[in-house]
Each structure stands twice: as C-alpha cells, then as structure tokens.
Amino acid sequence: MSTFHYKRVLIKLSGEVLSGKKEFGIEYSVVASLAKQIKEIHKEKIEIGIVIGAGNIFRGVSTEEEGMDRVSGDYIGMMGTIMNSVALQNELEKIDCDTRVMSALSIRQLAEPYIRRRATRHLEKNRIVIFAGGTGNPYFTTDTAAALRAIEINADIIIKGTKVDGVYDSDPNINNNAIKHDSLTYKQVIDHELKVMDMTAITLCKENNLPISVIDINRKNNLLNFLISPSKIGTIIK
C-alpha cells in the first residue's frame, strides 16, 4: 500500500523562489535543486502539475503604480511565467523527467496550448505538466491560475512552495514572535485576512473543497516529506 496521501498534486511556486539569493532573474542552482525534489515525487508515480509565478522577472501590479497600463503589465508578467516554466522544464529534462509546458498564451515555439483534456492525458502518462501564461487574462494572478488548473485537472491538493514553513499570524521574517498555524479552515483564512493566496484563488478552492498546503520549498526534500506526512510539514487549509 502506498505511503503517500495524494495521487495528483498541483505545485504552486512563486517566481521569487527561482531567483534564490539574487534580487532578480533565475538562479539555476535553485532551479536544479527544485527539479531534483520534483523528480523524487515523480519517481513515486505521483502525478504532478506545476504553476510558477513571475515575481523574479516582472510584476504587473507594481508597474501600474509607476504609470504602465495594467493590461500591458499583466501580459508581460504572463510572458515571464513562460520563461520560468521553460527554465524549469530544461532542468527536469536534464534529469530524465518527461515534461510538457502548456501555455494559456499562444507561443507554439516553446509550449503546447493549454487544453484541459490533453493536460489530463499527459498526467495519466506520468508526464510532469507545467502550466504557463497564468490564466491567459489580465487582472488575474498566478495564484488564481493555480487554483483553476488544480480544479480542472482534479488535483487532490495545491502545495504552495514559499520561503516560509507555513502560515503565520504575521510576517515571521519581521516578527520573531509570529505564531504559526498548523491547520486552518478557509473561514479562518478569510476572517483573519491571512496571506495564503489571493481572495479569488481562496474562494475557488473553498467552493471546490480543494485543500491548500503552504510549505518551505527551500528545505531539502520538503516536497517529498510533506506527501508522506502532510500533518507535520507546513500549514494545511481545508
């Protein structure tokens, strides 16, 4: 009998994770390390979908404050997610993981168009699928894209990989007395305005009974450890 609690997962990675210690761009040693973690899960026949943000390259919301049109900024951000997705695909394929990038934006030289049934078929064939291009629409975050894709592929859980090991009542990087929550309900997240994902994504997950877990992606083997003992790693919201 399998020791793993989930058969199909959607991993949401922030773009900032890929930049490592840099302030901008992609640190390939970090991408290679992430690829190795993902391969460990892949070897266990767990089906994996991935959504990556683009905060290491571009942020549409912040550029709007500086005068750029929000729609233009969001599309540039979506293209940034494609860049990150191709970088991760490259590292995964170096270590013999069959990987497909599927994009909500048409960019056929680099990625397949996103089609739900085709994505599901790739997963059933034990291919890793990286969903790029956000939702394909401005005014929506990659958190929302992750929630949508997870629902569409019938994922068992969204695993949000960040630089902290769960959800706290305040920023643990600033407040040494911040309290970590081991488990939360969606009502608690909404009532206390806890920063887990944006409100659209939270609402989608709540309405579709899709749990989210927040873990520290930088800790060695944390992805695999979470799938073995989910109650001991990070925070689970359901």
Side-chain angles (χ1 to χ4, degrees):
M1 184 176 177
S2 173
T3 58
F4 297 97
H5 291 73
Y6 306 104
K7 181 178 184 294
R8 179 178 292 174
V9 301
L10 189 292
I11 301 170
K12 168 61 170 66
L13 300 173
S14 65
E16 289 91 339
V17 168
L18 271 62
S19 64
K21 295 180 181 179
K22 297 180 179 180
E23 293 183 3
F24 177 85
I26 299 170
E27 187 170 312
Y28 282 94
S29 61
V30 173
V31 182
S33 176
L34 287 171
K36 288 175 183 176
Q37 280 201 60
I38 293 165
K39 182 176 181 177
E40 290 301 308
I41 302 173
H42 190 239
K43 283 162 56 177
E44 302 297 334
K45 306 299 181 185
I46 294 171
E47 297 171 3
I48 305 169
I50 302 170
V51 171
I52 312 175
N56 58 321
I57 296 173
F58 193 87
R59 278 196 179 277
V61 175
S62 60
T63 55
E64 184 183 23
E65 296 171 359
E66 297 172 11
M68 176 176 277
D69 175 71
R70 172 66 187 272
V71 173
S72 298
D74 281 356
Y75 276 113
I76 294 172
M78 286 181 236
M79 289 188 281
T81 70
I82 297 170
M83 295 166 66
N84 284 338
S85 297
V86 172
L88 181 58
Q89 179 189 38
N90 180 66
E91 293 301 318
L92 285 165
E93 291 186 337
K94 278 184 184 178
I95 54 177
D96 301 319
C97 291
D98 196 4
T99 307
R100 298 289 188 275
V101 175
M102 304 189 83
S103 175
L105 296 179
S106 180
I107 184 162
R108 293 178 182 272
Q109 291 87 343
L110 289 174
E112 297 179 22
Y114 172 69
I115 299 169
R116 184 181 66 85
R117 290 182 183 276
R118 184 178 293 173
T120 302
R121 186 63 178 143
H122 284 321
L123 292 166
E124 290 170 347
K125 290 185 175 181
N126 206 34
R127 295 169 180 152
I128 296 168
V129 180
I130 306 174
F131 300 106
T135 66
N137 299 286
Y139 298 100
F140 293 97
T141 67
T142 50
D143 280 351
T144 297
L148 281 170
R149 298 295 177 252
I151 293 163
E152 288 171 331
I153 65 172
N154 294 315
D156 299 315
I157 191 168
I158 295 176
I159 304 171
K160 185 171 183 180
T162 71
K163 294 182 177 181
V164 293
D165 61 344
V167 179
Y168 289 77
D169 63 348
S170 60
D171 188 343
N173 295 315
I174 299 173
N175 179 11
N176 291 329
N177 296 316
I179 298 171
K180 178 185 170 186
H181 300 281
D182 293 326
S183 62
L184 289 162
T185 65
Y186 278 111
K187 186 176 187 304
Q188 289 172 317
V189 170
I190 294 167
D191 288 348
H192 297 286
E193 298 181 350
L194 298 174
K195 294 181 179 180
V196 178
M197 300 177 87
D198 70 67
M199 194 54 64
T200 304
I202 289 292
T203 302
L204 283 168
C205 292
K206 179 178 182 293
E207 290 178 350
N208 289 275
N209 298 313
L210 177 65
I212 302 170
S213 183
V214 179
I215 70 170
D216 182 353
I217 196 70
N218 293 319
R219 293 193 180 183
K220 187 177 180 181
N221 295 325
N222 238 20
L223 278 170
L224 190 65
N225 291 339
F226 169 78
L227 292 166
I228 295 170
S229 303
S231 61
K232 296 179 181 179
I233 307 290
T235 301
I236 296 178
I237 303 105
K238 57 184 177 180

